[in-house]
Amino acid sequence: MTAQTARSQADEDEAAVLRLQDVSVRRFTPDQLILDGVNWTVRPGEHWALLGANGAGKTTLLRLLGALMHPTTGTVEVLGSRLGRVDVRELRARIGHVNSAQRVPQDLTAHAVVLTGHSGTVQPLWRTYGEEVRLRARDLLLELGVKELADRPYGVCSGGQRARVLIARALMANPALLLLDEPFNALDLPSREDLVEAMHQLAERRPRLATVTVTHHLEELSPAVSHALLLREGRILSRGAVDEVLTGSLLTSCFGRDITVARRDGRWSAYSGRRVAGG
């Protein structure tokens, strides 16, 4: 390796938001290999879609990225820190994580829910929120297009509104990495489109932010999505630029059904016909 190549590799390593090398996860009771030989790098400003059939390993992979578990073998580096050599509590505070199943007190206002992202708590720690923090929470609600919800109880917000409130909450820590676990779950069409637009604008305003979104539907991907990773039975089937990965042939292999893919005005769609033999 030449000195120039070594410098290029060092720069690449330093720039990585996520780096997984030969990662496997095994559940010993029962003996089950959930992830097998995963190699993956995510860099600043990249927006990844993570797709695969139920049971493919998406949730486990996302838990590794969020420093919520360790691999059985291999190495996982998140924001420059290797799991097993870092205080994961401190690392998690630097990662934005959005899950529609998050525990949120229904009587809290949307503003209060966003404030809890500053303290990383379920209930607000009011004494820790100075005026600057409170203003930042309102600014994030504005950025996500839901400023009018600031004083509305979270429990009466629609599904799409809740999703955007949770994203604002995750951004309170100003993370370099945002993980979204099926944020479009159970949203109707208008709510889905509002969230797609919010994600697109977020990517434009924050050019260094990296995101990984777990989804089952290509229609949920914003035009900002730049890369995709397909998981099949715990192994990476394909990863790379979105145009190269979200093809009919690769999605057919991933899901075991004959899938047709289309793209128009930066948005994706897919439909499935007959089941592929042996799929």
Side-chain angles (χ1 to χ4, degrees):
M1 179 183 295
T2 66
Q4 182 176 358
T5 302
R7 284 195 300 272
S8 297
Q9 182 64 48
D11 292 342
E12 179 179 311
D13 290 346
E14 183 179 0
V17 174
L18 294 168
R19 185 176 297 278
L20 283 68
Q21 295 181 302
D22 200 24
V23 166
S24 296
V25 173
R26 180 178 294 276
R27 180 182 295 146
F28 292 99
T29 307
D31 187 20
Q32 180 184 7
L33 192 59
I34 301 172
L35 293 175
D36 186 13
V38 172
N39 292 284
W40 185 22
T41 300
V42 175
R43 295 180 177 84
E46 293 182 348
H47 300 284
W48 285 78
L50 176 56
L51 299 105
N54 289 336
K58 301 186 301 297
T59 298
T60 298
L61 183 52
L62 206 66
R63 285 177 59 81
L64 288 172
L65 307 185
L68 296 173
M69 64 180 297
H70 290 74
T72 305
T73 59
T75 60
V76 176
E77 294 182 3
V78 182
L79 303 178
S81 298
R82 180 174 296 187
L83 297 190
R85 300 181 180 178
V86 64
D87 185 334
V88 292
R89 294 169 298 181
E90 294 182 1
L91 180 56
R92 289 170 192 158
R94 299 162 53 203
I95 303 169
H97 205 143
V98 177
N99 187 320
S100 59
Q102 283 176 254
R103 290 188 303 138
V104 178
Q106 301 296 292
D107 59 336
L108 288 183
T109 66
H111 181 244
V113 171
V114 177
L115 282 173
T116 63
H118 176 77
S119 50
T121 56
V122 175
Q123 293 287 349
L125 301 181
W126 295 111
R127 294 182 180 179
T128 68
Y129 308 140
E131 185 62 22
E132 183 178 347
V133 172
R134 293 169 186 257
L135 287 174
R136 174 167 169 73
R138 291 189 179 274
D139 287 344
L140 286 169
L141 287 171
L142 174 62
E143 183 175 356
L144 271 297
V146 286
K147 66 176 182 178
E148 73 280 3
L149 304 179
D151 299 318
R152 184 180 302 179
Y154 179 83
V156 302
C157 294
S158 70
Q161 291 169 340
R162 292 186 187 193
R164 284 183 282 167
V165 169
L166 290 179
I167 292 171
R169 178 185 186 276
L171 293 173
M172 277 297 287
N174 196 27
L177 172 65
L178 183 62
L179 306 176
L180 302 110
D181 190 359
E182 298 189 43
F184 298 88
N185 187 34
L187 298 189
D188 61 19
L189 180 59
S191 296
R192 183 193 76 185
E193 291 304 296
D194 286 343
L195 184 54
V196 167
E197 179 60 24
M199 293 303 301
H200 190 193
Q201 293 181 3
L202 185 67
E204 291 183 334
R205 293 191 188 104
R206 298 169 180 258
R208 296 286 293 173
L209 177 68
T211 67
V212 177
T213 302
V214 173
T215 182
H216 288 287
H217 306 288
L218 300 193
E219 292 78 5
E220 296 172 350
L221 302 180
S222 90
V225 171
S226 57
H227 295 74
L229 184 149
L230 303 182
L231 271 182
R232 180 177 172 88
E233 298 178 352
R235 288 179 171 270
I236 292 180
L237 176 66
S238 182
R239 66 177 180 275
V242 67
D243 289 325
E244 299 173 0
V245 175
L246 298 186
T247 66
S249 59
L250 284 172
L251 287 170
T252 294
S253 297
C254 184
F255 290 97
R257 297 188 70 95
D258 185 13
I259 294 178
T260 299
V261 177
R263 192 179 192 187
R264 181 179 179 182
D265 298 329
R267 296 293 299 278
W268 297 87
S269 62
Y271 68 90
S272 173
R274 62 182 178 82
R275 183 182 296 275
V276 176

